[in-house]
PDB file of all heavy atoms in Angstrom:
ATOM      1  N   ALA A1319       3.516 -20.712 -25.314  1.00 97.00           N
ATOM      2  CA  ALA A1319       4.056 -19.618 -24.464  1.00 97.00           C
ATOM      3  C   ALA A1319       3.290 -19.485 -23.152  1.00 97.00           C
ATOM      4  O   ALA A1319       3.837 -18.975 -22.209  1.00 97.00           O
ATOM      5  CB  ALA A1319       3.966 -18.304 -25.235  1.00 97.00           C
ATOM      6  N   GLY A1320       2.034 -20.011 -23.142  1.00 96.00           N
ATOM      7  CA  GLY A1320       1.301 -19.971 -21.877  1.00 96.00           C
ATOM      8  C   GLY A1320      -0.163 -19.552 -21.935  1.00 96.00           C
ATOM      9  O   GLY A1320      -0.852 -19.497 -20.915  1.00 96.00           O
ATOM     10  N   CYS A1321      -0.685 -19.352 -23.149  1.00 96.00           N
ATOM     11  CA  CYS A1321      -2.061 -18.864 -23.300  1.00 96.00           C
ATOM     12  C   CYS A1321      -3.074 -19.992 -23.143  1.00 96.00           C
ATOM     13  O   CYS A1321      -2.880 -21.098 -23.660  1.00 96.00           O
ATOM     14  CB  CYS A1321      -2.261 -18.277 -24.666  1.00 96.00           C
ATOM     15  SG  CYS A1321      -1.490 -16.679 -24.861  1.00 96.00           S
ATOM     16  N   SER A1322      -4.170 -19.677 -22.501  1.00 95.00           N
ATOM     17  CA  SER A1322      -5.341 -20.571 -22.551  1.00 95.00           C
ATOM     18  C   SER A1322      -6.512 -19.941 -23.302  1.00 95.00           C
ATOM     19  O   SER A1322      -7.454 -20.637 -23.628  1.00 95.00           O
ATOM     20  CB  SER A1322      -5.783 -20.909 -21.106  1.00 95.00           C
ATOM     21  OG  SER A1322      -5.910 -19.776 -20.294  1.00 95.00           O
ATOM     22  N   LEU A1323      -6.409 -18.664 -23.670  1.00 96.00           N
ATOM     23  CA  LEU A1323      -7.405 -17.957 -24.434  1.00 96.00           C
ATOM     24  C   LEU A1323      -6.742 -17.104 -25.510  1.00 96.00           C
ATOM     25  O   LEU A1323      -5.786 -16.392 -25.157  1.00 96.00           O
ATOM     26  CB  LEU A1323      -8.283 -17.089 -23.540  1.00 96.00           C
ATOM     27  CG  LEU A1323      -9.352 -16.201 -24.194  1.00 96.00           C
ATOM     28  CD1 LEU A1323     -10.419 -17.079 -24.848  1.00 96.00           C
ATOM     29  CD2 LEU A1323      -9.992 -15.260 -23.206  1.00 96.00           C
ATOM     30  N   ILE A1324      -7.191 -17.174 -26.745  1.00 98.00           N
ATOM     31  CA  ILE A1324      -6.594 -16.388 -27.823  1.00 98.00           C
ATOM     32  C   ILE A1324      -7.714 -15.600 -28.508  1.00 98.00           C
ATOM     33  O   ILE A1324      -8.660 -16.187 -28.977  1.00 98.00           O
ATOM     34  CB  ILE A1324      -5.853 -17.303 -28.859  1.00 98.00           C
ATOM     35  CG1 ILE A1324      -4.771 -18.078 -28.139  1.00 98.00           C
ATOM     36  CG2 ILE A1324      -5.292 -16.467 -29.970  1.00 98.00           C
ATOM     37  CD1 ILE A1324      -4.158 -19.196 -28.997  1.00 98.00           C
ATOM     38  N   LEU A1325      -7.534 -14.293 -28.555  1.00 98.00           N
ATOM     39  CA  LEU A1325      -8.441 -13.414 -29.306  1.00 98.00           C
ATOM     40  C   LEU A1325      -7.849 -13.305 -30.702  1.00 98.00           C
ATOM     41  O   LEU A1325      -6.733 -12.845 -30.880  1.00 98.00           O
ATOM     42  CB  LEU A1325      -8.540 -12.056 -28.695  1.00 98.00           C
ATOM     43  CG  LEU A1325      -9.308 -11.942 -27.365  1.00 98.00           C
ATOM     44  CD1 LEU A1325      -8.438 -12.378 -26.166  1.00 98.00           C
ATOM     45  CD2 LEU A1325      -9.820 -10.527 -27.142  1.00 98.00           C
ATOM     46  N   THR A1326      -8.610 -13.783 -31.696  1.00 98.00           N
ATOM     47  CA  THR A1326      -8.076 -13.776 -33.063  1.00 98.00           C
ATOM     48  C   THR A1326      -9.204 -13.616 -34.087  1.00 98.00           C
ATOM     49  O   THR A1326     -10.298 -14.147 -33.935  1.00 98.00           O
ATOM     50  CB  THR A1326      -7.315 -15.100 -33.403  1.00 98.00           C
ATOM     51  OG1 THR A1326      -6.904 -15.094 -34.767  1.00 98.00           O
ATOM     52  CG2 THR A1326      -8.134 -16.344 -33.106  1.00 98.00           C
ATOM     53  N   TYR A1327      -8.887 -12.841 -35.133  1.00 97.00           N
ATOM     54  CA  TYR A1327      -9.829 -12.629 -36.254  1.00 97.00           C
ATOM     55  C   TYR A1327      -9.920 -13.886 -37.130  1.00 97.00           C
ATOM     56  O   TYR A1327     -10.765 -13.951 -38.027  1.00 97.00           O
ATOM     57  CB  TYR A1327      -9.371 -11.433 -37.074  1.00 97.00           C
ATOM     58  CG  TYR A1327      -9.299 -10.169 -36.224  1.00 97.00           C
ATOM     59  CD1 TYR A1327      -8.089  -9.671 -35.754  1.00 97.00           C
ATOM     60  CD2 TYR A1327     -10.486  -9.433 -35.896  1.00 97.00           C
ATOM     61  CE1 TYR A1327      -8.062  -8.519 -34.972  1.00 97.00           C
ATOM     62  CE2 TYR A1327     -10.431  -8.306 -35.133  1.00 97.00           C
ATOM     63  CZ  TYR A1327      -9.206  -7.852 -34.664  1.00 97.00           C
ATOM     64  OH  TYR A1327      -9.148  -6.704 -33.871  1.00 97.00           O
ATOM     65  N   PHE A1328      -9.029 -14.832 -36.916  1.00 98.00           N
ATOM     66  CA  PHE A1328      -9.093 -16.108 -37.643  1.00 98.00           C
ATOM     67  C   PHE A1328     -10.094 -17.066 -37.015  1.00 98.00           C
ATOM     68  O   PHE A1328     -10.226 -18.231 -37.479  1.00 98.00           O
ATOM     69  CB  PHE A1328      -7.743 -16.781 -37.660  1.00 98.00           C
ATOM     70  CG  PHE A1328      -6.723 -16.133 -38.594  1.00 98.00           C
ATOM     71  CD1 PHE A1328      -5.596 -15.505 -38.101  1.00 98.00           C
ATOM     72  CD2 PHE A1328      -6.919 -16.199 -39.976  1.00 98.00           C
ATOM     73  CE1 PHE A1328      -4.696 -14.897 -38.980  1.00 98.00           C
ATOM     74  CE2 PHE A1328      -6.010 -15.613 -40.841  1.00 98.00           C
ATOM     75  CZ  PHE A1328      -4.875 -14.978 -40.364  1.00 98.00           C
ATOM     76  N   THR A1329     -10.815 -16.664 -36.007  1.00 98.00           N
ATOM     77  CA  THR A1329     -11.760 -17.560 -35.334  1.00 98.00           C
ATOM     78  C   THR A1329     -12.747 -18.242 -36.282  1.00 98.00           C
ATOM     79  O   THR A1329     -12.939 -19.477 -36.199  1.00 98.00           O
ATOM     80  CB  THR A1329     -12.518 -16.788 -34.224  1.00 98.00           C
ATOM     81  OG1 THR A1329     -11.574 -16.408 -33.240  1.00 98.00           O
ATOM     82  CG2 THR A1329     -13.589 -17.686 -33.619  1.00 98.00           C
ATOM     83  N   PRO A1330     -13.372 -17.574 -37.274  1.00 98.00           N
ATOM     84  CA  PRO A1330     -14.311 -18.301 -38.151  1.00 98.00           C
ATOM     85  C   PRO A1330     -13.608 -19.426 -38.940  1.00 98.00           C
ATOM     86  O   PRO A1330     -14.182 -20.523 -39.061  1.00 98.00           O
ATOM     87  CB  PRO A1330     -14.773 -17.178 -39.098  1.00 98.00           C
ATOM     88  CG  PRO A1330     -14.698 -15.958 -38.292  1.00 98.00           C
ATOM     89  CD  PRO A1330     -13.417 -16.096 -37.498  1.00 98.00           C
ATOM     90  N   GLU A1331     -12.390 -19.185 -39.440  1.00 98.00           N
ATOM     91  CA  GLU A1331     -11.684 -20.254 -40.136  1.00 98.00           C
ATOM     92  C   GLU A1331     -11.276 -21.358 -39.203  1.00 98.00           C
ATOM     93  O   GLU A1331     -11.390 -22.549 -39.510  1.00 98.00           O
ATOM     94  CB  GLU A1331     -10.405 -19.661 -40.808  1.00 98.00           C
ATOM     95  CG  GLU A1331     -10.683 -18.751 -41.980  1.00 98.00           C
ATOM     96  CD  GLU A1331     -10.845 -17.282 -41.561  1.00 98.00           C
ATOM     97  OE1 GLU A1331     -11.089 -17.014 -40.384  1.00 98.00           O
ATOM     98  OE2 GLU A1331     -10.700 -16.405 -42.443  1.00 98.00           O
ATOM     99  N   LEU A1332     -10.835 -20.996 -37.982  1.00 98.00           N
ATOM    100  CA  LEU A1332     -10.421 -22.019 -37.033  1.00 98.00           C
ATOM    101  C   LEU A1332     -11.623 -22.914 -36.598  1.00 98.00           C
ATOM    102  O   LEU A1332     -11.388 -24.101 -36.324  1.00 98.00           O
ATOM    103  CB  LEU A1332      -9.748 -21.355 -35.772  1.00 98.00           C
ATOM    104  CG  LEU A1332      -8.386 -20.798 -36.076  1.00 98.00           C
ATOM    105  CD1 LEU A1332      -7.966 -19.819 -35.009  1.00 98.00           C
ATOM    106  CD2 LEU A1332      -7.352 -21.967 -36.150  1.00 98.00           C
ATOM    107  N   LEU A1333     -12.795 -22.351 -36.492  1.00 98.00           N
ATOM    108  CA  LEU A1333     -13.931 -23.203 -36.167  1.00 98.00           C
ATOM    109  C   LEU A1333     -14.171 -24.257 -37.220  1.00 98.00           C
ATOM    110  O   LEU A1333     -14.594 -25.381 -36.927  1.00 98.00           O
ATOM    111  CB  LEU A1333     -15.188 -22.319 -36.037  1.00 98.00           C
ATOM    112  CG  LEU A1333     -15.195 -21.322 -34.875  1.00 98.00           C
ATOM    113  CD1 LEU A1333     -16.419 -20.415 -34.972  1.00 98.00           C
ATOM    114  CD2 LEU A1333     -15.148 -22.074 -33.544  1.00 98.00           C
ATOM    115  N   GLU A1334     -13.868 -23.936 -38.476  1.00 97.00           N
ATOM    116  CA  GLU A1334     -13.927 -24.937 -39.550  1.00 97.00           C
ATOM    117  C   GLU A1334     -12.766 -25.931 -39.438  1.00 97.00           C
ATOM    118  O   GLU A1334     -12.964 -27.126 -39.518  1.00 97.00           O
ATOM    119  CB  GLU A1334     -13.873 -24.217 -40.940  1.00 97.00           C
ATOM    120  CG  GLU A1334     -15.058 -23.287 -41.221  1.00 97.00           C
ATOM    121  CD  GLU A1334     -16.200 -24.048 -41.869  1.00 97.00           C
ATOM    122  OE1 GLU A1334     -16.080 -25.320 -42.053  1.00 97.00           O
ATOM    123  OE2 GLU A1334     -17.189 -23.395 -42.177  1.00 97.00           O
TER     124      GLU A1334
END
Side-chain angles (χ1 to χ4, degrees):
C1321 287
S1322 50
L1323 177 65
I1324 302 170
L1325 289 79
T1326 176
Y1327 302 99
F1328 285 113
T1329 296
E1331 290 90 342
L1332 286 162
L1333 294 173
E1334 295 272 3

